[in-house]
Amino acid sequence: MAQIDAFDIFILGAVLIGTVAYFTKGTLWGRRRTASALVGKSNGAAVASTATRSIITKLQDSDRDVVVFYGSQTGTAEDYASRLAKEGHSRFGLKTMVADIEEYDLEDLDTFPEDKVAIFVMATYGEGEPTDNAVAFYEFISGEDPMFSAMEDPERPLKNLKYVAFGLGNNTYEHYNAVITRLNEALLKLGASRIGEVGMGDDGAGTMEEDFLSWKEEMWSEFASQVGVQEREAVYEPALKVEESELTTEDANVYLGEFNKGHLEGTESSPFLPHNPYIAPITLCRELFKSDSRNCLHVEIDLQDSNLKFTTGDHIAVWPQNSDKEVDRFLSVLGLISKRDDVINVTAIDPTTKVPFPNPTTYDTVVRYHLEICGVVSRQFLASLAPFAPSDEAKAEITKLGNLKDYFSEVVSSRYLNIAQVLERISCGVTWSSVPFSLILESINHIQPRYYSISSSSYVDKTKPHITVVVESIPTTADADPLKGVASNYLLDLKYKRENIKNPSPSAVSYATDGPRGRYRGNKVPVHIRHSNFKLPSNPATPIIMVGPGTGVAPFRGFVHERAAQAEAGVPVGTSLLFFGSRNRTEDFLYSEEWEALGEKLGERFKLVTAFSRQGPEKVYVQHRLVENAELVNKLLQEGAYFYVCGDASRMAKDVSASLAKIIAAQRGIAEEQGEEIVKSMRAQNLYQEDVWS
C-alpha cells in the first residue's frame, strides 16, 4: 500500500474540518446573537437559567400587566421607572413591576403577551453608549440579526409587543439620547408597536424633570386610550413595610451603614464592585487652591490590598454619605429625631419590589447612608405628600407647588432647596409626622457614588490612584443655605479631621467620617473603579492635544506623567499639547508646580498653554487659546494626533468642538462645513474623545 505523505494528511484534515464546519454551522458556530450570550460575555458570570431570567415567566407568576425596564447609570432612570410604575398602579389600577434590564434574558420578547405592556426608561451614557446594566440588551436588540426564542414570524418577531419609551440624555453630547432613539428604531423594525411618542429628557438644558412630567401626561392619555383602562382617584398603597424592632444598635446583626453581610462581619473580600466597594485608605489629601473662599483637593487613595486595577484615564467612584446637618434636618422635619437610633425592619409587600438596602437597620442609617436627601426635589413627589400635610394651609401650599411649574421654580428650584428644607418652609417648622416612612423609601433616590477622573498614571503607580476634587459650595439666596456638594464636602471634612483642625468656613458641614462601627477610622472611604474609554493612544509616539480647564485637567495630569515616565524609560513619545484654563494664575492654577518639572523631562515634546479668565481686561478661555495656536494644532492633527476634551459640557466642550472645526477649515482652506465633518469623522474614529459633565 502506498505511503500517505504529509501533504495528503493535510488535505484529508482540511476536508474533514470543512465537513464538520458545514454541518455544525448555526449550532456550534455562526449562531445569531442572543441576549443570554451577551450577558455572559459582559459580566463574566455564569448565565442564569432561562426560567429564572425570563420576563414572561416573571409577569405570569406575579400576575403583572406592565413591566418598566430601566437602564440607569446614576439612579435617575431607575427613579423615573419606579415613579411610572407607582403612578400606573395608583391612577389606573395597573399591576406594575420595575425591572433592572440586566436581570433578564429578553430573547423571549417575541412571546410577550398582547395584553401586557413593556415600558423602557433608558439613559444614554457618554458618547451615545448604553448604561452599564443595559449593555447586553442594547447590543442584542440593536444587532443585525437578534435571535428570539420562538421566531414564529422572522420578519416581525415582536409584533405582539406594545411598548412605551422614555430616554434620558444630554444635548451637549453629539449623540443626544442615542440609546432610546436606536432602541425605538430597533423595536419598530422588529414589528413592535409604540404607545405615545418617544419621550426625551435633557439634562444638558436642565429640563430633565419637566421634560419627564410633560411627556408622561400625554403618554398616559394615549396609554389609557390604546390599552382601554380608566383613570381612578390616586391612592397611596405601600410596596414596602416598615416595622420597628426590639433590637438595638448594639446587636451585631443590625446594619449601621455596611454595604452587605461581608462588610457587616468584617469579612469583605474582592471582587470589589459597586455593591461591594473597597474601604480604601486615603494616604494624602492636600489643598490645591490658594484662596480663602474656594477649595480644591488632591486626594491619593491606596488600593494595594484590594486587587482593584485601573488604567490611566479610568474613573474612581467614591461612596459618600449625607452631612450631620442634613440628616438632623430630615429626621426632625419627619418627627423622627428622637427615634433616630430605633431599629427597623423593612420588607417588601409587593414581591416584585426590592428593599434597596440591607436590614435590620436604623432610621439614622437609612437617611445618612442610603437616601439622596440633598438631591433635586420632584414636583411629583411633593404632590404625593399633600394627603399627609400637618395642616390645611400646608396641604394647600404643597399642592400648589406640586401643580404649578413656574411657582415651583420660583420657590424651590431657584433656591436649590432639598426636600427637608421645602417641608420646613411649608409648615413653618411643624413636623410632618404622618408621612409614611415607606413612602419616603419608595420615592427618594438611593444614594449613588460620585465618579472622579483619575489624575495619575497607572504606568507610574498601579496601586495609588489620585483624584482632583473641586469642593462645591454654591451661594443660593439670602434666605437659603449654600448648596453643598455631598461627596466633595465629605472629603473636605475628612481632610480637616485628618489634620485635627477646624474648617474655617462659616457654612462648613461635618460628616460621620469614622463610618459604621468606626470601620472608616483612619481616613478611609468606600470606593470602586469604573473603566473608561478615555485613553491614551496605544502608540506612545502618537501626538496628543488635551483641553482641560479647571478640574478637567485631572486625566491629563495622568497622561503627561505617563509620557514623562515613558520618555525617562527610553520610550519614544509624541508631542503632548495641553490647554489649561482657570480664573487666576495665583489662586487656582492646578498643579502649577508640576508642569515645569514635567516639561524638563519631556523637553520640546510638551507644551502647556494657559488661559486665565479673570486676570486681564477681557475674559480668555481655552477655546480662545486653541485658535491662537491654530497652526500647531492643525500640524499635530495632520500627524495623527488624538484630541481630548475634559470638563464642562454645557458650554466649554461645545465651544472647543466648534473652534476646532473652524481651525481645520481655515488652516486647510476648506469650508467650515467640511471642517465640521472632519471633526465628526475624528469622533467616529475615536480620534476625538470627551470626558465631560453638565
Side-chain angles (χ1 to χ4, degrees), residues 42 62-63 170 182 204 302 324 347 390 448 466 469 540 550 561 596 620 633 637 652:
S42 67
S62 57
D63 188 28
N170 187 316
R182 292 169 188 162
D302 187 359
D324 296 333
T347 54
Q448 297 294 319
H466 304 172
V469 183
H561 269 281
E596 185 175 347
V620 179
V633 168
L637 290 178
M652 182 275 297

Side-chain angles (χ1 to χ4, degrees), residues 326-369:
E326 292 305 330
V327 171
D328 290 349
R329 189 201 306 271
F330 190 89
L331 291 170
S332 295
V333 80
L334 291 179
L336 294 172
I337 196 72
S338 63
K339 302 171 73 173
R340 67 188 314 156
D341 292 325
D342 287 2
V343 176
I344 57 175
N345 281 302
V346 182
T347 54
I349 298 171
D350 181 339
T352 67
T353 299
K354 293 181 180 178
V355 179
F357 46 79
N359 68 104
T361 186
T362 68
Y363 289 110
D364 184 284
T365 298
V366 171
V367 175
R368 185 177 302 277
Y369 292 104

Side-chain angles (χ1 to χ4, degrees), residues 511-524:
Y511 294 78
T513 53
D514 283 348
R517 293 183 168 88
R519 296 279 170 82
Y520 303 172
R521 194 171 292 131
N523 303 293
K524 296 179 180 179

